Amino acid sequence: MDTAKKGQLIVVGTGISVAGQMTLAAKSHIENADIVFMGIMNKVGEHAVKNLNPNSISLDDLYQEGKSRAVTYDQMVDRIVQAVSEGHKVCVAFYGHPGVFVTPSHEAIRRVRELGLNAQMLPGVSAEDCLIADLGIDPSRFGCQSYEATQFLFRDYRIDPYMTQIIWQIGLVGEASLSVLDATHNQPGLVMLADILREHYPDNHELIIYEAATLPICEPKIQKILLSELTLAKLTLISTLVVPSLGLPEYRQDRLAKLGLTEQQVINYRNPSIN
């Protein structure tokens, strides 16, 4: 009988504001792990995790100025997988939702499963969850399109201006070296972003620059500007751009007719929605 201890991996999210946003399941896995690796953006969050499990180790030492983030992420994965392969019960706690803009979480799970060991991810409160609550946006009302800013610039996406647009990481828009860790190099990309949006929206269309609160004592940053003012905006690495919908498009009468419905029936169906 094989009595060797088999390692396992649980990846959890601590929420955007760790205090109050960490789920009970995430807390339990942190407390019961042999080792906890942390990818959390502030010391308050790290302190909260260390209080749950003293054997918690930050991954921040792998970041270095001028070093490609791709290399850093690979090294994070190597460290995590090594600990699991040694037979440890490993928990990795990432800021926000561990599956949203967290490359190492997905790769670590893939590699651990390739070893025939158990690996799973638990959800956490993401920046998008905070955005919906803070801005009062219901993604189902107009529909929603979501992009990473640099990919938005360089790929041939089809924007639907009747849908809400959420463009993440605009502080790094146009930056593709994976070595820049501040928002001072984004001006050319921001100009291009504004030009793309002008193809679909008027200059006086109101935009929202949003940053979720990362501490319980802080408020979210919500700045409303016009499209014409976008290139002058002061951004950070956690700035998100929200482009509100132009409004609902007209109904397709041919599709309604095929199902024998009227516009009012569809409106009445939509209004009672609670999910």
Side-chain angles (χ1 to χ4, degrees):
M1 180 182 294
D2 183 7
T3 59
K5 183 180 177 183
K6 290 187 176 181
Q8 60 178 295
L9 173 64
I10 306 292
V11 181
V12 304
T14 61
I16 298 299
S17 177
V18 176
Q21 289 187 350
M22 189 187 300
T23 68
L24 293 176
K27 181 179 177 183
S28 175
H29 283 293
I30 290 170
E31 290 173 329
N32 292 289
D34 298 327
I35 302 171
V36 180
F37 290 112
M38 300 181 294
I40 302 172
M41 70 172 295
N42 60 61
K43 295 302 179 183
V44 173
E46 288 188 355
H47 180 71
V49 171
K50 286 180 179 178
N51 276 345
L52 296 174
N53 189 326
N55 196 21
S56 296
I57 304 166
S58 175
L59 295 169
D60 287 352
D61 64 297
L62 296 174
Y63 287 105
Q64 294 176 9
E65 185 176 353
K67 178 182 176 182
S68 169
R69 294 195 299 281
V71 173
T72 297
Y73 298 156
D74 285 343
Q75 292 173 339
M76 287 181 179
V77 174
D78 289 342
R79 187 178 290 183
I80 294 165
V81 174
Q82 178 65 29
V84 176
S85 66
E86 291 172 356
H88 297 294
K89 181 178 181 180
V90 177
C91 181
V92 186
F94 284 110
Y95 162 75
H97 189 302
V100 179
F101 285 100
V102 188
T103 301
S105 63
H106 295 285
E107 181 61 15
I109 287 173
R110 185 190 68 78
R111 285 179 52 184
V112 167
R113 287 176 176 170
E114 279 189 347
L115 295 174
L117 300 172
N118 181 55
Q120 61 177 297
M121 178 186 292
L122 300 184
V125 176
S126 70
E128 184 174 31
D129 298 317
C130 295
L131 182 153
I132 289 169
D134 291 334
L135 300 184
I137 291 175
D138 181 350
S140 72
R141 185 182 179 195
F142 298 108
C144 185
Q145 294 180 302
S146 182
Y147 323 81
E148 190 277 330
T150 297
Q151 294 293 324
F152 180 85
L153 285 192
F154 299 130
R155 293 193 181 275
D156 189 22
Y157 287 114
R158 297 290 186 264
I159 299 173
D160 184 344
Y162 295 109
M163 301 176 75
T164 301
Q165 309 293 316
I166 302 178
I167 305 176
W168 302 96
Q169 298 186 334
I170 58 167
L172 290 172
V173 63
E175 206 294 308
S177 72
L178 292 179
S179 62
V180 175
L181 287 174
D182 60 64
T184 61
H185 299 78
N186 66 355
Q187 193 59 29
L190 202 58
V191 170
M192 185 181 294
L193 174 61
D195 288 342
I196 293 171
L197 292 177
R198 284 193 184 96
E199 296 174 7
H200 306 275
Y201 304 91
D203 263 346
N204 64 353
H205 191 64
E206 186 175 82
L207 314 179
I208 304 169
I209 297 173
Y210 172 80
E211 296 181 15
T214 57
L215 296 171
I217 60 173
C218 298
E219 295 292 328
K221 294 182 180 179
I222 301 172
Q223 180 185 1
K224 296 184 177 181
I225 62 172
L226 301 179
L227 173 53
S228 60
E229 301 168 331
L230 178 58
T231 56
L232 303 176
K234 302 300 181 184
L235 307 172
T236 72
L237 292 178
I238 61 172
S239 295
T240 298
L241 182 67
V242 178
V243 185
S245 164
L246 289 178
L248 289 169
E250 295 297 322
Y251 282 105
R252 284 284 300 267
Q253 299 298 327
D254 57 331
R255 295 176 183 173
L256 289 172
K258 283 182 179 180
L259 295 180
L261 297 173
T262 65
E263 290 184 13
Q264 191 58 51
Q265 285 176 305
V266 177
I267 292 171
N268 290 341
Y269 172 78
R270 170 64 183 87
N271 288 341
S273 176
I274 60 172
N275 295 316

